[in-house]
Amino acid sequence: MVLPKSQSEVDELISSIPGIIWQKWLEPDEEQGRKDFLSRYTYQMLGYGEEEWLSHRDFWLRILHPADRRRALRELEAVLRGGKGGVVQFRWIAKGGRVIWVEACCQVVLDRRGRPIGMRGVNIDITARKEAEAALREAIRTREEMLALVSHDLRNPLSVIKMNSVMTARAVAGKEDCEPVLRSAELMRRAADQMDRLVGDLLDASRLEAGQLTVEPEKTEAGGILREALELLEPAASERRVTFEVRPPEAEPTLLCDSHRLCQVLCNLVGNAIKFSPTDSVVSIEVVELRSTVLFRVIDRGAGIPEDLRPLVFERYWQRGNRPGHGTGLGLYIAKGIVEAHGGSIWVDSRPEGGSIFSFTLPRYGAPAADVVPEESCLAATS
């Protein structure tokens, strides 16, 4: 490292820094070398010239925003008493009235007895950062309001539609020429169910993004949740003439997981496998108990996913082939969030003979939390 050789080089270096370099003594004494200092960037940042700064020893305090004055002084005094250093944020009022947010990075100067005699540091303009933070807070507030609107004002009408479609079907069941009404009622119920799922996906995606997706792990039998998911998907499988092949372990494993969320993950993965499998094909579901985790695999006989696209499949709004009519593209993003919230892993491979393998792990009940089996070990254990 080459150091400046002259005072002019030091001055040039200080002037080039996009921040106010300063030094302030509690009791200035030029004979002792205790002279207050302020770099030239002050004028560029605030618009005040050297004469204005020198007109009053505490000029910096005079231009403090009134709302910040007491707090800033209190925090700076605490830094001084601490005898080390610290960071204080406050607002200055620049010439012309513009408000500038400043971050002051301070270092306390001590005498030979360890007593504070002054401070030095650099003040940086953080106005753009503060404006971005304010915009982010406003965006979060708007999102929260929208979530409340979606969860209440949309789901309530959907519940009414579903309830009335079921009541209509019951009222006409067994009557003459009731088939058209029954078909219409069933279409209404399916459409409302689909809309309810889409609303749920949007809510979960927003919670994930905000870090607010919660899981409630408890002792859960894997087989029961798998059977529940497959029962829910049986109508979709029958419509495409897809059959399920379940390969359970010798002994039913017990998980530490949120059963509702696990069912959601399985419904998404198996539902996708049904969508992208050819008619009259088989979707396989494997459950393998490992040392500390339980491995789930969902295997379809579709076209598979090219290797270069596999890192994208768990991103928001990604859809295989970008074909319309296949949902929001949030399902795998949400599934990944749920699995990782349990401390598990999720990934995708393709079969050499065609099709995709979606795998994920969840903690086995009673296993030590730190005893995690890597994905590679999971694959080796089941190959």
Side-chain angles (χ1 to χ4, degrees), residues 43-319:
Y43 178 78
Q44 183 177 339
M45 181 169 158
L46 296 168
Y48 297 109
E50 185 176 357
E51 291 183 2
E52 291 170 291
W53 277 96
L54 295 176
S55 66
H56 195 281
R57 187 165 185 268
D58 289 326
F59 186 80
W60 70 274
L61 182 58
R62 290 190 168 194
I63 64 172
L64 264 177
H65 193 289
D68 295 348
R69 189 167 295 160
R70 288 185 178 179
R71 177 189 56 79
L73 280 174
R74 186 172 61 251
E75 292 179 7
L76 286 167
E77 288 170 0
V79 171
L80 186 65
R81 287 196 304 271
K84 294 182 179 179
V87 178
V88 179
Q89 294 181 356
F90 51 82
R91 286 168 290 181
W92 261 336
I93 300 176
K95 198 167 189 177
R98 186 167 61 94
V99 176
I100 296 177
W101 268 101
V102 175
E103 183 171 84
C105 302
C106 316
Q107 183 65 43
V108 178
V109 182
L110 305 175
D111 64 11
R112 293 178 180 178
R113 298 180 181 179
R115 297 175 302 187
I117 56 175
M119 295 177 73
R120 58 171 65 107
V122 58
N123 290 6
I124 302 169
D125 184 347
I126 60 168
T127 305
R129 187 209 306 176
K130 286 293 186 178
E131 290 174 348
E133 290 172 355
L136 178 60
R137 286 194 297 270
E138 177 61 22
I140 292 173
R141 186 190 66 79
T142 303
R143 181 183 62 196
E144 293 302 319
E145 291 178 355
M146 182 60 69
L147 287 178
L149 172 69
V150 168
S151 61
H152 182 271
D153 292 358
L154 286 183
R155 277 193 154 162
N156 282 357
L158 285 174
S159 298
V160 174
I161 293 171
K162 286 196 287 186
M163 181 179 66
N164 278 277
S165 65
V166 172
M167 291 177 63
T168 299
R170 288 176 180 172
V172 301
K175 295 184 178 180
E176 190 176 352
D177 298 326
C178 66
E179 286 302 317
V181 177
L182 287 173
R183 281 196 299 271
S184 296
E186 177 61 15
L187 287 173
M188 287 171 58
R189 187 192 63 77
R190 287 189 182 184
D193 282 342
Q194 183 180 11
M195 187 64 184
D196 194 44
R197 285 193 296 271
L198 293 176
V199 170
D201 283 351
L202 290 171
L203 290 170
D204 281 342
S206 296
R207 293 187 187 108
L208 261 177
E209 189 179 358
Q212 296 174 349
L213 185 75
T214 58
V215 295
E216 298 178 3
E218 58 183 359
K219 184 178 180 182
T220 304
E221 301 297 331
I225 304 301
L226 178 58
R227 284 189 294 273
E228 179 184 347
L230 296 185
E231 286 174 8
L232 290 171
L233 293 166
E234 185 59 43
S238 298
E239 189 174 334
R240 291 187 56 81
R241 300 199 300 276
V242 170
T243 56
F244 296 136
E245 177 190 37
V246 181
R247 304 171 188 171
E250 293 181 3
E252 184 168 326
T254 304
L255 302 166
L256 181 63
C257 73
D258 185 320
S259 57
H260 169 72
R261 291 298 190 182
L262 172 57
C263 187
Q264 186 178 352
V265 172
L266 286 170
C267 283
N268 178 266
L269 297 183
V270 179
N272 283 345
I274 294 169
K275 285 182 194 175
F276 295 103
S277 289
T279 54
D280 299 310
S281 64
V282 176
V283 169
S284 302
I285 302 97
E286 296 180 352
V287 183
V288 182
E289 187 170 15
L290 303 175
R291 185 178 56 184
S292 61
T293 60
V294 176
L295 170 68
F296 292 82
R297 280 175 154 183
V298 178
I299 306 165
D300 66 50
R301 271 71 178 176
I305 301 172
E307 188 173 356
D308 60 324
L309 294 181
R310 289 176 209 163
L312 305 176
V313 300
F314 297 105
E315 293 186 2
R316 284 182 302 168
Y317 309 120
W318 188 87
Q319 291 187 345

